[in-house]
Amino acid sequence: LDSNFLFWSAIIITYITLMLLIILGLGGVFFGMAYLITEGNASMLLSGYNTMNSDDQKSFPLKEYLVDFKRFHQRFGAGFTALGLLLYVVNEDWLGYHLGITPLLAYLYFFWQTRKYSLVQSKNTKNQFWIGFTVQLTTLVVVVGLLVWSDKKNTLVWTDQSIEIEGPYGVVIPFETIESIALLNELPEISSRLHGYSTGSVAKGKFKGAQDVPYHLLLDKPYGKILQINCTGEDPVLLALDGIDEVALEKQLKARLRD
């Protein structure tokens, strides 16, 4: 068999396996939560309950709450896994939204549905409920906002002195700082995301590669070619922008640098 075929087959199989492990792993954690919290360990493990004073704990309907808690996590764990597998097949970019947003939505719903257990308690537990609900709602709004902003397309603008990538995690690249340009057939090995956003074919922000090599990724489409721009004193920039022909861009940049 052709070595390139074997290489790409291994990459694809590894990627599919990793994504399935993430979906099944998170789903398993959520489902397992249904059986993790019991009456015996709630005073240590159940968030909110473990911070109540002894009087509030005694009056709290723990048995009834744990019935709802168990039912929610059983359904959510199974539903999260099923929806994750479906989105992975239908649209992998949507899977990123599912992994980031669905748990926040689900726990916000559960928190609100079980408010009856907190709001009938003391003033202290009522305050804890509203503080917790506000924090969860704010977190959801921030995460959705960041995902929507990060998913916006980047645009490339030429000036006399530089090229500017406008949009999420954009960068200005002065011509005088460019050391070298290369077209890549594949993305270098990426070990971790330092800060930024990645889902499906989209990856934007600061990432770390093999041997801790830093990269600035600006990928917003399924890529055949990736343009790598190495600049003095800056992380290598890897580009694959929607609406941009990376082969033509390489030729334009090299022509500009020769002037």
Side-chain angles (χ1 to χ4, degrees):
L1 292 175
D2 184 81
S3 59
N4 286 332
F5 173 80
L6 292 175
F7 172 78
W8 284 109
S9 296
I11 293 294
I12 292 171
I13 291 173
T14 300
Y15 178 75
I16 292 174
T17 302
L18 178 61
M19 292 306 299
L20 290 177
L21 286 175
I22 291 174
I23 296 169
L24 295 174
L26 286 174
V29 168
F30 293 135
F31 191 85
M33 288 289 291
Y35 303 93
L36 177 64
I37 308 296
T38 65
E39 289 186 61
N41 61 29
S43 60
M44 294 184 295
L45 300 181
L46 183 58
S47 179
Y49 182 80
N50 57 8
T51 59
M52 292 180 185
N53 59 46
S54 58
D55 290 335
D56 286 337
Q57 285 187 349
K58 289 177 181 178
S59 61
F60 186 80
L62 182 60
K63 288 185 178 180
E64 292 85 347
Y65 178 84
L66 289 179
V67 170
D68 287 345
F69 183 90
K70 183 176 183 178
R71 184 186 300 116
F72 165 77
H73 282 91
Q74 287 174 329
R75 294 175 178 176
F76 175 50
F80 178 89
T81 303
L83 183 57
L85 294 174
L86 176 63
L87 291 177
Y88 179 68
V89 173
V90 174
N91 189 317
E92 195 175 338
D93 288 336
W94 293 350
L95 177 61
Y97 284 93
H98 170 61
L99 295 177
I101 295 175
T102 302
L104 293 174
L105 278 174
Y107 278 105
L108 188 65
Y109 168 80
F110 175 70
F111 204 73
W112 181 255
Q113 286 296 105
T114 56
R115 66 190 185 282
K116 59 186 178 182
Y117 297 114
S118 298
L119 296 182
V120 298
Q121 297 293 105
S122 67
K123 182 178 179 180
N124 182 50
T125 58
K126 292 178 181 179
N127 289 338
Q128 285 183 344
F129 167 81
W130 288 114
I131 291 172
F133 183 80
T134 301
V135 169
Q136 289 193 48
L137 183 60
T138 302
T139 302
L140 176 63
V141 171
V142 170
V143 169
V144 171
L146 286 174
L147 287 173
V148 171
W149 174 76
S150 298
D151 206 30
K152 289 183 178 180
K153 300 298 183 183
N154 292 87
T155 57
L156 187 148
V157 177
W158 287 81
T159 71
D160 292 338
Q161 303 297 325
S162 65
I163 58 170
E164 301 179 5
I165 313 300
E166 298 180 341
Y169 303 100
V171 62
V172 176
I173 306 176
F175 295 129
E176 63 182 15
T177 67
I178 297 178
E179 294 181 339
S180 62
I181 304 169
L183 270 178
L184 309 179
N185 293 318
E186 60 187 83
L187 187 67
E189 179 183 344
I190 301 297
S191 59
S192 62
R193 180 178 65 233
L194 300 178
H195 68 81
Y197 167 76
S198 61
T199 176
S201 59
V202 177
K204 301 178 184 180
K206 298 290 187 178
F207 292 74
K208 184 185 294 185
Q211 299 179 343
D212 293 335
V213 176
Y215 293 106
H216 189 141
L217 267 56
L218 289 168
L219 312 174
D220 63 10
K221 67 177 181 181
Y223 42 82
K225 296 286 186 180
I226 299 171
L227 183 63
Q228 178 171 334
I229 304 175
N230 300 310
C231 298
T232 305
E234 299 292 340
D235 298 339
V237 177
L238 303 180
L239 296 176
L241 302 179
D242 192 35
I244 299 296
D245 183 336
E246 283 71 38
V247 176
L249 179 58
E250 180 203 27
K251 292 179 180 178
Q252 287 177 287
L253 279 173
K254 286 185 175 180
R256 176 62 179 79
L257 294 176
R258 286 195 297 266
D259 293 343

